[in-house]
Amino acid sequence: FIDTYKWTTRNNYFCFADHEKIAMGGGGGGFGFVVDADLHSCGSSPCDTYGNTSTLDLNKEGNAPVSRIANVELWSFQLGN
């Protein structure tokens, strides 16, 4: 079972990246999906961009992340000419 969330048009916070994380979606207090720079831990919060309700804890307990990533797969699309 997979939850899917489409763009709500409430904002344009599609992508964000800095030296600490890569994120998609935002507004409303969190990122729709966020991956730490180490590509080992991830999280999710409800956000205005996608209207998602699912959450995945990104907080760390000690040095061990609560949510771990097993594999990373990236896709790119080119629209138009």
Side-chain angles (χ1 to χ4, degrees), residues 20-23 33-37 39-43 58 69 72:
E20 297 176 10
K21 63 188 150 294
I22 299 169
F33 185 80
V34 61
V35 177
D36 276 351
L39 297 178
H40 289 146
S41 55
C42 62
L58 181 63
I69 296 174
V72 175

Side-chain angles (χ1 to χ4, degrees), residues 3-4 10-12 19 21 23-24 32-33 36 38 42 44 50 61 67 69 72 79:
D3 289 330
T4 59
R10 290 185 212 153
N11 62 37
N12 294 324
H19 293 287
K21 63 188 150 294
M24 300 200 60
F33 185 80
D36 276 351
D38 62 9
C42 62
S44 176
Y50 301 112
E61 296 175 359
S67 304
I69 296 174
V72 175
L79 303 176

